[in-house]
Amino acid sequence: MKKTKEKFDGHFGKFGGRYVPEMLIPALEELEAEYEKAKKDPEFKKEFEYHLETFSGRPTPLTFAKNLTEKLGGAKIYFKNEGLNITGAHKITHCIGQALLAKRMGKTTLIAETGAGQHGVATATVAAKFGFSCKVFMGATDMARQRPNVFLMEQLGATVIPVEFGSKTLKDAVNAALKDWIENVTTSHYLLGSVVGPHPYPSMTRDFQAVVGREVRKQIVEAEGKLPDYIIACVGGGSNAMGIFNEFLADASVTLFGVEAGGRGRKVGEHASRFNGGSVGVVEGFKSFFLQDDDGQIQKTHSISAGLDYAGIGPQLAYLKEERRVEFHSATDIEVLGAFKHLARTEGIIAALESLHAVAYAIKLAPKLSKEKIIVVNVSGRGDKDLFILTEALNDQGFKDFLRTKVQ
């Protein structure tokens, strides 16, 4: 199996690279140099693994979904439950890694952007733990959708800054965070939240998250004596997907599926599927697939999940799509809500709306396969943060009435 062609300058085939204002080049070069040194430093690796084990809660479990498997009547389904990390998602992993790098570089402030809020909470968490001040940029629309995470970030000591321009979602938060970093580059580290952005962010974030796939390989071999046949992960920017895929890229027997946000329909503005109408462009410092118009302006997106409505995708994933190593599908909002009910009522797992895109595809795939096949689904986060979206989407009048009385 062909491995990803990753050049020293962060290109994956024609994707990736570093397209930023000149004044950010020294900061990116400093980060790249520090990361390259840290990778070879046994003490850095030891400290990273120490915090993953004693603070984050790794390794997270790989759970056999016995009830769902029997109900669907096909392949065996396992869930990698990243929601059991301390902040409820896989995001804490690369935040710990980048915070340790920021310490080595003598930075005093962490800057981040967030969509669903999970990356913002994870950044605020490591800022509190390792002694940084913290600014989190968040689209005003996302702040309204994910208000519980805004509350948590503020309690952790972060300043959450609403972004009021554009569509007031993640892409606008990224632009605001980059602008702040340019103005404060000597004292700040931009803690980017996915496998996107200019080099070295896509490679660095993937490497930190790759612990997910390494754990899965060990756990599934212990449970089944062999590798899985299929691995499924949701894909916004792609950090959880690359985290679990990376370990298996060279295993030809393992089919990899990425599931994008199918939203409400296939028209522009109704979904966030970059491989349904997207095209190659350079946005926010890297080359990849983006939902953009003929002038290169980013299109509006929609997803029931605030974490998947990003208009771009990580450059390595774009490359793996082009190389046909990863197959991409999408799940609609309705299918995601169906997956929520299936998972909650058969396995007792309340998963994040992002992760439920992957679960929704597994529910479609498993009955078509024989019982000897094995599917591993990366459940990248838990669903506490989605409580109010679910209340609205499921039109739970009783809970709405309860919330109204609490407000009064």
Side-chain angles (χ1 to χ4, degrees):
M1 179 60 60
K2 186 186 295 184
K3 291 188 176 181
T4 300
K5 292 178 182 175
E6 181 181 353
K7 297 178 182 176
F8 72 96
D9 59 356
H11 279 89
F12 303 92
K14 67 184 178 187
F15 302 106
R18 179 186 288 166
Y19 304 88
V20 295
E22 193 66 28
M23 64 184 67
L24 282 183
I25 294 295
L28 289 168
E29 289 178 341
E30 178 193 20
L31 178 60
E32 180 184 10
E34 196 62 48
Y35 178 55
E36 290 302 318
K37 281 194 293 183
K39 280 199 298 187
K40 299 168 186 168
D41 182 350
E43 288 302 313
F44 179 83
K45 185 172 183 286
K46 184 178 176 182
E47 187 176 9
F48 178 55
E49 291 177 347
Y50 170 80
H51 291 299
L52 291 185
E53 181 180 346
T54 64
F55 181 65
S56 181
R58 304 206 74 94
T60 56
L62 182 72
T63 304
F64 174 47
K66 181 174 181 292
N67 298 332
L68 186 60
T69 296
E70 290 178 354
K71 185 174 182 179
L72 295 174
K76 296 175 80 169
I77 300 174
Y78 281 82
F79 293 120
K80 178 61 171 169
N81 199 339
E82 289 292 290
L84 295 182
N85 277 294
I86 185 171
T87 56
H90 69 292
K91 294 284 187 183
I92 188 68
T93 307
H94 65 250
C95 287
I96 290 173
Q98 288 195 46
L100 294 177
L101 280 176
K103 271 177 57 181
R104 289 169 66 108
M105 292 186 289
K107 307 293 185 182
T108 58
T109 301
L110 298 181
I111 299 168
E113 87 301 321
T114 192
Q118 289 302 102
H119 173 61
V121 170
T123 301
T125 297
V126 296
K129 179 170 178 59
F130 296 110
F132 296 96
S133 63
C134 182
K135 291 185 281 189
V136 180
F137 292 87
M138 192 170 187
T141 299
D142 288 340
M143 285 183 72
R145 290 200 291 180
Q146 298 288 352
R147 193 63 183 80
N149 273 342
V150 175
F151 174 78
L152 292 176
M153 284 184 270
E154 291 172 341
Q155 298 313 304
L156 287 160
T159 301
V160 183
I161 301 169
V163 178
E164 301 284 359
F165 57 81
S167 60
K168 304 177 185 177
T169 58
L170 180 58
K171 71 179 179 62
D172 310 299
V174 171
N175 288 330
L178 278 170
K179 182 174 181 296
D180 189 281
W181 193 32
I182 289 171
E183 294 169 353
N184 300 284
V185 70
T186 56
T187 57
S188 298
H189 171 67
Y190 181 16
L191 207 163
L192 219 160
S194 193
V195 286
V196 299
H199 178 63
Y201 282 105
S203 305
M204 184 175 65
T205 302
R206 174 206 61 202
D207 292 348
F208 286 136
Q209 289 291 348
V211 64
V212 179
R214 290 196 296 272
E215 287 178 7
V216 167
R217 179 183 289 272
K218 182 172 184 290
Q219 291 166 326
I220 197 68
V221 169
E222 286 177 353
E224 295 284 347
K226 63 177 185 177
L227 296 181
D229 299 286
Y230 303 90
I231 294 177
I232 306 174
C234 66
V235 181
S239 59
N240 93 92
M242 280 312 309
I244 194 168
F245 290 166
N246 191 63
E247 176 70 15
F248 298 94
L249 289 178
D251 295 301
S253 65
V254 182
T255 301
L256 307 175
F257 290 114
V259 185
E260 298 183 290
R264 293 183 292 240
R266 297 182 65 81
K267 291 182 180 177
V268 172
E270 296 290 302
H271 63 85
S273 174
R274 289 61 52 99
F275 298 121
N276 169 28
S279 56
V280 177
V282 175
V283 179
E284 294 161 1
F286 67 106
K287 180 184 283 189
S288 189
F289 262 82
F290 296 90
L291 288 165
Q292 56 190 333
D293 62 21
D294 293 339
D295 296 322
Q297 298 298 313
I298 293 299
Q299 301 274 24
K300 286 186 177 179
T301 57
H302 164 78
S303 170
I304 192 171
S305 161
L308 291 192
D309 66 0
Y310 183 54
I313 189 169
Q316 188 172 7
L317 285 162
Y319 172 80
L320 293 170
K321 157 75 173 175
E322 199 166 78
E323 292 291 301
R324 300 183 180 181
R325 179 64 188 97
V326 178
E327 188 176 318
F328 286 86
H329 297 272
S330 62
T332 66
D333 290 353
I334 290 174
E335 289 171 330
V336 166
L337 289 173
F340 166 75
K341 290 181 180 178
H342 265 90
L343 190 56
R345 295 178 186 182
T346 59
E347 296 297 335
I349 297 173
I350 304 290
L353 287 168
E354 290 84 350
S355 315
L356 288 165
H357 285 70
V359 176
Y361 187 70
I363 288 172
K364 286 197 286 189
L365 177 66
K368 301 174 184 174
L369 303 174
S370 70
K371 293 184 178 181
E372 289 71 38
K373 298 296 183 183
I374 298 169
I375 298 172
V376 172
V377 181
N378 199 13
V379 178
S380 54
R382 62 176 181 249
D384 317 36
K385 66 183 178 57
D386 298 319
L387 183 62
F388 300 117
I389 296 175
L390 287 166
T391 302
E392 192 66 36
L394 299 173
N395 195 25
D396 188 321
Q397 193 57 48
F399 194 58
K400 283 183 180 177
D401 292 341
F402 167 75
L403 292 174
R404 194 171 295 112
T405 60
K406 294 302 288 183
V407 171
Q408 290 170 349

